[in-house]
Amino acid sequence: MYQQIADEIRGQIVAGDLEPGAKLPTEAEMRSAYDVSRETVRKALNLLVNEGLVVSARPQGHFVRRREPMIFRPQTEFRKRPHSPEMDAFATEHSAEGREPRQVIEVAIVEPPAEVAKRLQLKAGDLVAIRKRVRYLDGEPFNINDSYFPLDIVRDSEIMRPEDITRGANEVLAELGYRQVRALDELYVRMPQPEEVKRLELPPGTPVGYHITTGFTAEGRPVRVATTVLPGDRHVISYERGLETPGEEA
Amino acid sequence: MYQQIADEIRGQIVAGDLEPGAKLPTEAEMRSAYDVSRETVRKALNLLVNEGLVVSARPQGHFVRRREPMIFRPQTEFRKRPHSPEMDAFATEHSAEGREPRQVIEVAIVEPPAEVAKRLQLKAGDLVAIRKRVRYLDGEPFNINDSYFPLDIVRDSEIMRPEDITRGANEVLAELGYRQVRALDELYVRMPQPEEVKRLELPPGTPVGYHITTGFTAEGRPVRVATTVLPGDRHVISYERGLETPGEEA
DNA sequence: CAGTGGTCTAGACCACATC
DNA sequence: ATGTGGTCTAGACCACTGT
């Protein structure tokens, strides 16, 4: 029964009868409209909140969720190419032009999480340096970027200072004798952990992309693992491909 | 208070005290353990279910969610390269070897959804051919792949038949005079729609990756839009990059 | 049949933003 | 002060799966 209520409202939202930002009826109104108890109404609303369609703004009521401006995340391999007109248009549409960027950096020495230790091929007990960044645009957080380095190669380097490295941490690694020549990228889709919810101010019903890059030197040694948490409501990941070898897309 | 209960159980799960597949205490047990009402216990469990950490198997109880075997989704541009040892290991780890693939294909002529019409640069009222596929592995659905083609170029072609096209739909398009030479890829992260939940048998708390590929001919005409819905609990998207131009990862 | 979770009710108190 | 949603309670009935 609460599912039916949710279905009805969801239908109005996807059909556009209820526009983003529109106020939903109050719980009391829905209770009498459907002749059910308050808890039943709340279960229906809860469904929609967890689907990311509705937000609750106490005590103003429930609202159809607005779509955040999407941030364009081009994959670097493709940035060097001359862009096609379509790609240009796409980039322009999702540009962050005119928005005010800011970042907060923390640096620490920690025992790495298992998934990082594995990718850096560390032994138990080995420590890593971690640079944790939260990036903001117009004061709103839009992604978390944590980079891990084996402690023995970055100790006492610039990487340990909690400041912006304008030429890039990769360049510093290269100066230390560990130039990365290739990277393995993995992208997972999952629900955020509570800490990520807090750091990114994620509304309920917002999944994240979890991007892990492992950078290797020419000798095949992994020297950097970067994890990026991308809130799904604020990011499009995009790239352009040549299709010299057409094949069915898997 | 229900948040505290959820926090406690979540802590046990992430710490590994409760392993995947382990049975949680019953609602009655938790009710007396925390001395709260049943609804409060259920709210705590509901949180964990929506975070994708717990599944409910009525009437056996609640269980720590098992991780699905991950399906490796390499991006095609990179498949041609000689693989590095790391990439090979990664591909092997997530291989679908020995699993039984199957797919169900439907074909129809429809008015395209707005996001498809826009990418195909169609006028209002233009129709498209759609090939809808659900792919299974060992009888379990693992992704939805819908391909849209402007009706005027595929009418009466093989693409309209609901059968597997072994040489690929792209090749058929090429034979029709519309060879694609490049593609624009977009990847979104969001919660699934109810239809996607049904078609993919998604447990609650499972987000999806939504991958849209637009294929262009040399003349710049978009001739194909393929959308793929990737359940987050079953897919890793992965690729390897050269880093000739090191730069900070955005 | 027993025990599980799924659903629904009626009632209560609270925190908070706005008027 | 009012009205909103957030939380919690106590009790009830149901559907399903196992024994």
Side-chain angles (χ1 to χ4, degrees):
Chain A
M1 315 288 142
Y2 73 88
Q3 313 244 17
Q4 292 175 17
I5 300 176
D7 286 349
E8 193 162 318
I9 299 172
R10 189 191 301 109
Q12 292 174 24
I13 293 174
V14 301
D17 299 340
L18 284 167
E19 309 208 336
K23 186 179 187 307
L24 264 51
T26 67
E27 294 180 357
E29 287 165 351
M30 296 178 62
R31 205 194 42 171
S32 50
Y34 295 99
D35 195 32
V36 293
S37 79
R38 185 176 167 219
E39 283 299 328
T40 304
V41 168
R42 300 194 89 250
K43 282 193 87 166
L45 289 169
N46 197 338
L47 269 190
L48 299 172
V49 167
N50 283 320
E51 288 171 13
L53 293 175
V54 163
V55 291
S56 165
R58 189 169 63 148
Q60 283 81 9
H62 288 93
F63 297 84
V64 179
R65 183 153 169 194
R66 294 171 187 277
R67 288 192 323 233
E68 301 277 333
M70 283 295 196
I71 294 175
F72 175 54
R73 182 178 170 82
Q75 295 310 98
T76 49
E77 166 113 26
F78 303 95
R79 224 181 306 191
K80 289 172 290 181
R81 312 185 165 218
H83 282 167
S84 67
E86 294 82 15
M87 190 66 168
D88 273 342
F90 190 80
T92 304
E93 181 175 340
H94 298 290
S95 146
E97 283 298 313
R99 302 178 68 184
E100 174 70 19
R102 181 166 64 87
Q103 59 181 344
V104 174
I105 301 178
E106 278 177 69
V107 173
I109 296 176
V110 298
E111 275 203 75
E115 63 179 11
V116 170
K118 177 180 162 198
R119 286 172 181 76
L120 285 176
Q121 300 169 11
L122 299 179
K123 299 186 301 293
D126 283 350
L127 298 181
V128 295
I130 173 174
R131 283 177 66 87
K132 302 173 75 156
R133 275 187 296 184
V134 182
R135 300 173 183 209
Y136 298 82
L137 222 38
D138 288 349
E140 302 188 348
F142 81 97
N143 80 31
I144 292 176
N145 185 274
D146 293 348
S147 291
Y148 299 82
F149 308 90
L151 185 57
D152 55 314
I153 72 178
V154 299
R155 193 195 307 273
D156 304 325
S157 81
E158 196 176 349
I159 282 176
M160 300 303 294
R161 304 164 59 104
E163 293 154 13
D164 191 27
I165 303 176
T166 47
R167 68 188 188 285
N170 288 349
E171 189 53 33
V172 175
L173 274 186
E175 290 163 13
L176 292 167
Y178 301 93
R179 178 171 293 283
Q180 298 162 65
V181 298
R182 63 172 190 279
L184 179 59
D185 288 83
E186 303 162 53
L187 182 68
Y188 298 85
V189 174
R190 58 164 171 77
M191 295 309 287
Q193 295 157 4
E195 168 172 348
E196 293 163 352
V197 170
K198 201 170 54 184
R199 282 217 272 170
L200 290 167
E201 300 171 18
L202 300 176
T206 308
V208 297
Y210 186 63
H211 186 169
I212 307 183
T213 302
T214 309
F216 297 89
T217 63
E219 295 78 35
R221 173 166 181 192
V223 293
R224 183 183 64 108
V225 167
T227 67
T228 305
V229 179
L230 303 159
D233 61 348
R234 294 160 224 182
H235 289 270
V236 204
I237 297 158
S238 177
Y239 46 94
E240 193 175 20
R241 290 181 295 151
L243 286 178
E244 296 83 12
T245 308
E248 201 65 8
E249 303 297 306
Chain B
M1 315 292 141
Y2 73 88
Q3 313 244 17
Q4 292 174 18
I5 300 175
D7 287 349
E8 191 161 319
I9 299 171
R10 190 190 301 109
Q12 293 174 24
I13 293 174
V14 301
D17 298 342
L18 285 167
E19 307 209 336
K23 186 178 187 305
L24 264 50
T26 68
E27 293 179 357
E29 286 165 351
M30 297 177 62
R31 205 193 41 173
S32 51
Y34 296 97
D35 195 31
V36 293
S37 79
R38 184 176 169 217
E39 283 299 329
T40 303
V41 167
R42 301 195 87 250
K43 283 193 87 169
L45 289 168
N46 197 338
L47 270 189
L48 299 172
V49 167
N50 283 320
E51 288 171 14
L53 292 175
V54 162
V55 292
S56 164
R58 191 169 61 149
Q60 283 81 9
H62 288 92
F63 297 83
V64 179
R65 185 153 166 193
R66 293 170 189 278
R67 288 190 323 231
E68 301 277 333
M70 283 293 195
I71 294 175
F72 176 52
R73 181 176 170 83
Q75 294 311 98
T76 49
E77 166 113 23
F78 303 93
R79 224 181 307 189
K80 289 171 288 180
R81 310 185 167 221
H83 282 167
S84 64
E86 294 82 16
M87 189 67 169
D88 273 342
F90 190 81
T92 303
E93 181 175 341
H94 298 290
S95 148
E97 283 298 312
R99 302 178 68 183
E100 175 69 20
R102 179 167 64 90
Q103 60 181 343
V104 174
I105 301 179
E106 279 176 68
V107 173
I109 295 175
V110 297
E111 275 202 76
E115 62 178 14
V116 171
K118 177 181 161 198
R119 284 172 182 76
L120 285 176
Q121 300 169 11
L122 299 178
K123 299 186 301 293
D126 284 350
L127 297 181
V128 295
I130 174 176
R131 283 177 67 88
K132 303 171 74 154
R133 275 186 298 183
V134 182
R135 300 173 184 210
Y136 298 81
L137 222 39
D138 287 349
E140 302 189 347
F142 80 97
N143 81 31
I144 292 176
N145 185 275
D146 293 348
S147 291
Y148 300 81
F149 307 91
L151 186 57
D152 57 314
I153 71 177
V154 299
R155 192 195 307 275
D156 304 325
S157 79
E158 196 175 347
I159 282 176
M160 301 303 295
R161 304 164 60 102
E163 293 154 13
D164 190 29
I165 303 175
T166 47
R167 68 188 188 286
N170 288 347
E171 188 53 33
V172 176
L173 273 186
E175 290 163 11
L176 292 167
Y178 301 93
R179 178 172 293 282
Q180 298 162 66
V181 297
R182 65 171 190 279
L184 179 59
D185 287 84
E186 303 160 56
L187 182 68
Y188 298 85
V189 174
R190 58 165 173 77
M191 295 310 287
Q193 294 158 5
E195 168 172 348
E196 293 163 353
V197 171
K198 201 171 54 186
R199 283 217 271 170
L200 290 167
E201 301 171 17
L202 299 176
T206 307
V208 298
Y210 187 63
H211 186 169
I212 306 183
T213 302
T214 309
F216 297 89
T217 64
E219 295 78 36
R221 173 167 180 190
V223 293
R224 183 183 65 109
V225 168
T227 67
T228 306
V229 179
L230 304 158
D233 60 350
R234 295 161 223 181
H235 290 270
V236 204
I237 297 159
S238 177
Y239 45 96
E240 193 175 20
R241 291 181 294 152
L243 286 179
E244 297 83 11
T245 308
E248 202 64 8
E249 303 296 305

